[in-house]
Amino acid sequence: MACQERLPTSFKAKIEQSLPREILNKMAMYDIDQYAPIMMRFFKEDNIAEIWKQNRSGVFVLVVSYGICKWSGQLGPKYREGDFQAPEGFYTVQENQMNPYSKYYLSFNIGFPNLYDQIHGRTGSYLMVHGACASVGCYSMNDRNMAQIYAFARDAFRGGQKEFQLHAFPFRMTDANMQRHYTNPHYEFWMMLKEGYDFFEKNRKPPKITVYDKRYVFEHFIDENSVAVAL
C-alpha cells in the first residue's frame, strides 16, 4: 500500500498550513500578493469551487479550482431550515465566520440567510463550507482542499481584507445552460443570479451587491480599487 502524507490535526498546525509552493508560484507569475483579497465561486452542477485573488492592477485572477466533494439537495436555492438544500446566491464571509474548531476539520459559515434570503422568508442556520466530505445543506470538501481554501481566506484577512464574497450558482450561467434549464421552476431566480455572474465575467471585479424591490442589484464600486461586499 502506498504511503500517504497525513494532514495535521492539532489546532495550531491545522490553521497555519501554508499554501502549496506551486500555488504560490502561480500567484507570483500573475503578480498576485499572497495576502491580496480573494473571492470564491461555487458551481453545483460542475462540483467546482473556484478561488480568485486580486492582482496588483486590481483585477481578480482565477488561481485554483477544487472539486466539491459533496453538496446536498438539488439544483435550486435553499428555502427553509431542514430542506437539506445547499444555498444559491451571493454571500459575505467575515473573519469571525471562520471556524478552526470545526468537527469537520476546518470550516467557515457562508452567511445564509443574507438580506435577500431574509426578505423572501428563507430560513436556515450554520450553512458552511467545510471538510470531511459530508454534507447536510452545506458545501463539503475533502480535508486537503479545505485546508487550502481556509489558508486562502486566512491570508486575505491577514492582508487586511474585511470580508470576501462567495457566489453560489447552480451551474455556469451561460446562455446555453440557461436555455437548457428554461422550463425549470427556478428559472426566473437563476436569471437574476446570471446578472451577477455576467457582471463578474465581464469586469473580473466583484460587484457591489444590494437588494432593491426584493431583487439583487449589481453595481460598480465608486472606488475601483475597493473590494466588493456581498449581502
Side-chain angles (χ1 to χ4, degrees):
M1 180 181 295
C3 294
Q4 294 185 347
E5 180 186 0
R6 299 187 65 181
L7 293 173
T9 56
S10 71
F11 171 77
K12 185 171 178 59
K14 281 198 301 182
I15 65 173
E16 294 299 336
Q17 292 177 80
S18 298
L19 289 168
R21 174 51 54 187
E22 57 267 26
I23 290 179
L24 295 175
N25 289 343
K26 183 176 182 179
M27 289 194 294
M29 181 176 65
Y30 286 107
D31 198 25
I32 300 170
D33 184 86
Q34 179 178 346
Y35 300 97
I38 63 168
M39 70 159 290
M40 302 182 186
R41 300 199 303 180
F42 281 61
F43 298 95
K44 287 180 176 177
E45 193 170 60
D46 293 343
N47 291 311
I48 290 294
E50 296 179 343
I51 310 299
W52 297 72
K53 281 185 74 71
Q54 188 180 47
N55 68 15
R56 288 182 173 85
S57 68
V59 174
F60 279 72
V61 177
L62 177 61
V63 175
V64 64
S65 297
Y66 297 106
I68 299 172
C69 190
K70 288 185 179 179
W71 54 270
S72 61
Q74 307 296 321
L75 298 184
K78 181 174 184 63
Y79 287 105
R80 62 187 180 277
E81 185 89 52
D83 65 5
F84 303 109
Q85 279 288 113
E88 294 173 5
F90 302 92
Y91 298 95
T92 294
V93 179
Q94 300 178 344
E95 191 169 11
N96 62 8
Q97 292 165 237
M98 306 290 287
N99 182 13
Y101 302 101
S102 175
K103 65 180 180 180
Y104 298 105
Y105 195 67
L106 293 165
S107 68
F108 60 81
N109 190 313
I110 72 169
F112 180 95
N114 63 19
L115 180 58
Y116 175 90
D117 299 318
Q118 293 172 42
I119 288 173
H120 287 269
R122 298 178 180 178
T123 59
S125 55
Y126 305 110
L127 278 301
M128 305 282 183
V129 174
H130 60 70
C133 195
S135 176
V136 183
C138 299
Y139 290 98
S140 180
M141 320 299 294
N142 68 41
D143 290 349
R144 186 173 305 281
N145 289 347
M146 188 63 219
Q148 293 182 22
I149 292 171
Y150 194 95
F152 273 110
R154 176 202 66 211
D155 288 351
F157 288 133
R158 288 179 178 175
Q161 188 173 18
K162 301 301 182 185
E163 47 206 350
F164 66 84
Q165 288 187 11
L166 188 154
H167 299 181
F169 297 111
F171 43 79
R172 296 188 184 277
M173 314 301 282
T174 63
D175 291 341
N177 280 341
M178 294 304 298
Q179 182 62 36
R180 183 163 57 90
H181 291 281
Y182 180 74
T183 60
N184 192 289
H186 303 303
Y187 181 80
E188 184 176 349
F189 172 70
W190 289 342
M191 282 297 294
M192 181 177 54
L193 297 191
K194 178 173 166 54
E195 294 176 24
Y197 175 89
D198 288 345
F199 184 104
F200 182 75
E201 286 290 301
K202 177 181 178 180
N203 298 289
R204 287 295 189 257
K205 294 182 180 181
K208 176 183 178 182
I209 305 174
T210 55
V211 175
Y212 178 76
D213 197 22
K214 297 185 177 182
R215 291 180 54 85
Y216 285 117
V217 178
F218 309 95
E219 303 174 288
H220 288 278
F221 274 82
I222 295 175
D223 178 3
E224 286 296 318
N225 292 319
S226 295
V227 179
V229 178
L231 296 168

